[in-house]
Amino acid sequence: MLVFPQDSNLTKHTNLPDLPACFQLSVLPWTPCIYLWLASPFYILYLKKNNRGYIMMSILNRIKTVLGLMLWIVCWTDLFSSFHEMSQNQSKPPIYFVTPLIVGMTMLLATFLIQYERLKGVQSSGVLFIFWTISVLCAIVPFRSKIVFLLALKEFTMFYIYFGLTLIQLILSCFNEKPPLFLTLKNDCPIFLFVFYSMAIKGYKSPLENKDLWLLNKQDSSELVVPNLLNEWEVEKSKAQSSKFHFFFPIVSPEEEEEEEEVLLSKWKEVRQPSFLRALLRAFGPYFLIGSAFKLLQDLITFVNPQLLRLLIDFTKQTNAPLWWGYSLAFLMFGTSLLQTLILHQHFQYCFVTGMRLRSGIIGAIYRKALAITNEAKRSSTVGEVVNLMSVDAQRFMDLTTFLNMLWSAPLQIILALFFLWQNLGPSVLAGVAVMVLLIPFNAFIAMKTRTYQVEQMKHKDDRIKLMNEILNGIKVLKLYAWEVSFKEKILQIRQKELTVLRKTAYLSALSTMAWTSAPFMVALTTFAVYVTVDEKNVLDAEKAFVSLSLFNILRFPLNMLPQVISSIVQASVSLKRIQDFLSHDELDPESVDRRNNASGNGADVINGTFSWAKQDQATLDNINVMVPQGSLLAVVGHVGCGKTSLVSALLGEMEKQEGQISIRGSVAYVPQQAWIQNATLRDNILFGRPYVEQRYRCVLEACALTPDLEVLPGGDQTEIGEKGINLSGGQRQRVSLARALYSEADVYLLDDPLSAVDAHVAKHIFDNVIGPEGALKGKTRILVTHGISFLPQVDNILVMVDGRVSEMGSYQDLLKQNGAFAEFLRNYSLEDIIEDDEVTVRMSHQSVRLSSVCCRQMSIMSNDLENPKKMSRRRRCSERKHPESPTEKKEPKLEKLIQAETAETGRVKFKVYWEYAKAVGPFLSLFICFLYGCQSAASIGANFWLSEWTNDAQHNRTQDQVSMRVGVYAALGISQGVLVMFSSFTLALGKIQAARKLHQTLLDNKFHTPQSFFDTTPIGRIINRFSKDIYVIDEVLPSTILMFLGTFFASLSTMIVIICSTPIFALVIGPLALIYFFVQRFYVATSRQLKRLESVSRSPIYSHFSETITGTSVIRAYGRNAAFVLMSDMKVDENQKSYYPGIVSNRWLGVRIEFIGNCIVLFAALLAVIGKDKLSPGLVGLSVSYALQVTMSLNWMVRMTSDLESNIVAVERVKEYSETQTEAPWIVTDKQPPPDWPPKGNVEFADYSVRYREGLDLVLRNISLKVEGGEKIGIVGRTGAGKSSMTLCLFRLLEAADGEIVIDEVKISEIGLHDLRSKLTIIPQEPVLFSGTLRMNLDPFEKYSDEEVWKALELSHLKRFVSNQTSKLDLECCEGGENLSVGQRQLVCLARALLRKTRILVLDEATAAVDLETDDLIQSTIRTQFEDCTVFTIAHRLNTIMDYTRVLVLDKGQIAEFDTPTNLIAQKGIFYGMAKDAGLA
């Protein structure tokens, strides 16, 4: 008897069907065995590699093992009983021996696996779960046969035991083992074993928090992923390197040389680039391929259902077919759908995890690269661009991995579908194929155009983010100068270009949407039309039509996806190129500075050094020869811009060495001119990764004069320092930077002007205790760049620089004797002849230090002068009151952080947010879009009902007479659907552009009107995130999500309508299913939304840390801390992925459950068709079941889109949140506008004026009352934190009064518009801020002044020579932050701004800190002559600048302590006298 059922009477045409005994004895029991034997070698290998520690023998494990052995005994009992019967001369077919033997062996294998898994730490086994499931399913048939046909009792008993044991094993395999010993990973997530339930329930009850998340799998962590990718990239680079050489030395005979050279050159261009793509494929390909294998399996199973549908329609036509056959078909359909679901989600899991690893790898690679690139490369990629590489481009790759398999899977599905269609309809299918082929070039054209637009848009976007980054960094300056309008215009111009490109892209995508929605229909229409017209005999019956339709529906997905995948690939290729270019940048040569102990015994040597900032630039430093003996102190002096800082950079290896050699002996500590402070505690900033040694740490604090600051900082040395050191004053930042250097105990110290930012007495303290001959660093090699003359007599050697060359070098006495440039320099600047008189030396020392004191108050790019008085005044008060508020103060930074983190709102996205977006699109337009979608669904349903009627013609033999009418109506309905699709896409495109414009505009408006305090307490990264990531989502992601959502929603709706129309009883099933659907969806969305929020909150720190790192690369490299920073970045990325991973799992969890509901709909549609087969026409059966088969996809996508919609609409919520922050006073108050020539005199009066920084903080100035006549020159002095800067900020209303008034020439400044006020005052701020753009734009953004006036201002600010030497003159391009000008030159640009504005009131905020004495003198004289008739307020560290002022205001603790002429004040012997005495002026 053959194995496979031949006898259809036994199996089909009977009411008690059964399978032949032979089939039951062979195929059924063998199936699970074959599966297990095939799977186990791979599985055992996998377990060998991934050992997770072993699990203790548990009761569960013991029971499983015993049951396994019992199953083996049962099988072999069968085997022996067969032998026994044979010995009794009963002949048995061989199958009775083979099957028990095979099954018995398999049970032993399963038992072995149970134990082996325990030893390898597997808590729940997917392989065995599948094995037991198949075993139980295959045993059900014989189990039923044995009961129905009551076979021999012995066999029945054995089989009964076998079946029972297998069933118990299946149930037991659903339970988890205990976690392995020595392992804390909570995380190995078997998706289908409901581990996600616990998280989902937690997330549904209360919003998830970070602690609820699983730990990241080891193999997904940056620690493994990034090195893996980088190794592959190195291999790639070395290959490219070696291939270069092949092309360098071609083996050619002389005759061929000419043309050969051409070819070689072109090839040489191609070969040069190493391919990042190959590196990615090698690093992540193998894991991804496992997912691809699952996809292949799923593609094949997809085609089973149309065949079952054919059998089902066939069944409804036969009147005498047995009912069980119909039921079996219905359940088979259900089963295949279910299997398809499970396999598909396994595939997705692999794809998503690959995507996640890709992102980790790319971010890690970019971060590591950013730490090593040259300055030249840094110029070509600004911080904004690199952050974009990390956020947008890495994201693109992540999104692509999900669809990448469609690249081969789509063609495969198309080929299979066409094969089955050919079987069904014959050659007519070719007509349909022709339509498809015609659509390909159309889609290709659209993809090509989209790509070009994409590149263009990325460029605009980079420009916009870059400018926005600068604006936010320099927002304070914009406010002080009232320049917001000009910069806002610049942003809006870029945005307009961006939106224009976006509009073009949107129209293109509307066309392609139409193409792919209509494609399956056009194909069906042409195929059916050709089929019925080619031959009279061809009749379109239900079976042909609906089987073909379900095949066409399968076709629809690959056809839809192909263009999408192609455009995704196109986008990713743009990103790939950008990333590859960045990773191919030149790196700094670590060997350029010889760090080994040099033979000369000097601490540092430069021999014949020529250096430039970029390879092709002209040399900045030329022919430098410097030798610094071990343990000596070398001072470097010279004018602004002569190359002092460049010399330090060269010693650090930060510059391109064109010739010569540098060697440094031992480790290096570096204090940059603008201190770089991390967003960490004060102690962490000083330790900088070194172990904490109490004694040493205390000494360092003492030496750097930081002890008094600690006493008054809210949290002592545990105070959290804001981004860029925002809550420290310039001097404090510089001292922290110095303390970091001192603590590092290096061999060589490079100090770039560290004394300029601190007060005179502090500078002296630091020089004596740290740098000088008796300081903590004595015996170390020190190179000190300085502007302070007073310390020069105490240094060992002095190096004088002029225009990038060493002009003289020697000891102080030698240089004086040489009577060269240095002696000249000193003569001009010593206040009297240099007498060896202590007092004078002291006096000078104080002065020069005061002079330099201000220099590095430049340090952070912004807003400290706002911050330092606040902190200081708070400190003073703290110490006065014995810290009454220290607990709250201590909490403050933490508190602030909490509030910030909580911007991750919890709970459902409020309806209001959707309404905001709908309003931005336009309420009427929104309704109209929904209406169009409704119409298109109606047209589609109409077409299919018409088809069902048409197929019923075949039964009633009224065929040919109506063909043309049938085809005509069908075509009309289908084409109208296509047109409606196009219309709805077009209107949606219009709406999305409108919304993008409105939302960005309101955000921008609000940010320009936001008070300064907001920017002081909010990290810039967080605001930039709104402008980059969130605006990108609103521009591009959200609209496509809405498009998909509406599409799937109406598709699901139309399916329900069709099934209910054909089998009304189905309405009863819909209720419970909808309930389950709704419950699963709410359950999932609650958790998934919170995961998404946690993910976006943990994303910002990656970028903040990154921008912070980029600004401090030179410091990080100097201290050799690269590895530690890389580790920090990796931790931040892993933290982010930790909340992303459960998001992936939640999607799989959801998919399985939703598709199960879809599969139930298929089951019920088929069952109801079987039950009502006598009443239903085959056409209707075909219609309802073919619709049901589509519903799974729609339902699944609908939940995904709902959740995507919720998570993407969060972008609107976040943008909205920052568009509604509190704004400052209006820029212009029309009814209170002052006259154009206001203020005519420049009288300023403070009337009982008090001010505080923010609500809830103490007053910084208390009850200040004073009058200043027009033209007076007022010096403002006081200890740090007395409220000097606050006073000037009040004039500009950056701080609003808490009490009292300021009146300028009879106008109360609190009543007029901010721009009216600020444009009539001028400030030269502490930090010179420049924006990228031309020099002219930096001086005069509104283009109010003529070129002559601009040149005049440059001449007066001593920049004329420098600018006229530049080739581009006034159009000289300034880099981001003015990096290509020295700090001193930037300060002079600020002076030129002031000279151009020439207002009645001028405020100088320690403005001459960063310039050398000579330039300082020139500036002071310019101010005296040019602003003679103006009221001038000067905040002075160095008293000699204000000794000739009309009056001096001494502030102390926010109150006026003294206010009189300098001579009177000295006579009074009060505070001012003390300060003057310190400075040697009294």
Side-chain angles (χ1 to χ4, degrees), residues 200-234:
I201 289 168
K202 212 180 274 178
Y204 186 67
K205 286 181 182 160
S206 62
L208 285 176
E209 290 168 36
N210 229 355
K211 60 174 194 299
D212 302 325
L213 303 177
W214 302 310
L215 298 176
L216 204 59
N217 281 327
K218 184 85 166 153
Q219 57 270 30
D220 298 334
S221 66
S222 301
E223 183 187 346
L224 292 183
V225 172
V226 184
N228 184 9
L229 174 61
L230 285 177
N231 292 344
E232 298 297 354
W233 175 235
E234 285 308 318

Side-chain angles (χ1 to χ4, degrees), residues 10 30 82 276 1126:
L10 171 69
W30 291 357
S82 300
F276 187 54
V1126 164

Side-chain angles (χ1 to χ4, degrees), residues 1403-1438:
V1403 178
L1404 298 177
D1405 193 351
E1406 306 177 353
T1408 55
V1411 291
D1412 55 79
L1413 297 175
E1414 197 174 339
T1415 322
D1416 182 24
D1417 234 29
L1418 294 171
I1419 293 178
Q1420 292 296 344
S1421 64
T1422 306
I1423 290 172
R1424 289 195 178 95
T1425 52
Q1426 294 301 312
F1427 294 97
E1428 201 174 358
D1429 50 350
C1430 305
T1431 312
V1432 179
F1433 290 91
T1434 302
I1435 294 182
H1437 266 188
R1438 298 185 336 246

Side-chain angles (χ1 to χ4, degrees), residues 481 1322-1324 1339 1353 1388-1399 1402-1404 1427:
Y481 287 130
T1322 303
I1323 185 167
I1324 302 182
L1339 292 169
L1388 295 176
V1389 172
C1390 292
L1391 176 65
R1393 281 179 190 161
L1395 290 161
L1396 262 184
R1397 286 166 74 109
K1398 198 69 192 305
T1399 56
L1402 171 69
V1403 178
L1404 298 177
F1427 294 97

Side-chain angles (χ1 to χ4, degrees), residues 30 138 197 323 615 677 721 766 858 866 1115 1147 1155 1188:
W30 291 357
C138 291
Y197 265 128
L323 265 183
K615 278 192 177 132
I677 303 290
I721 309 299
I766 288 177
Q858 301 10 307
L866 221 177
V1115 179
N1147 275 337
E1155 288 185 24

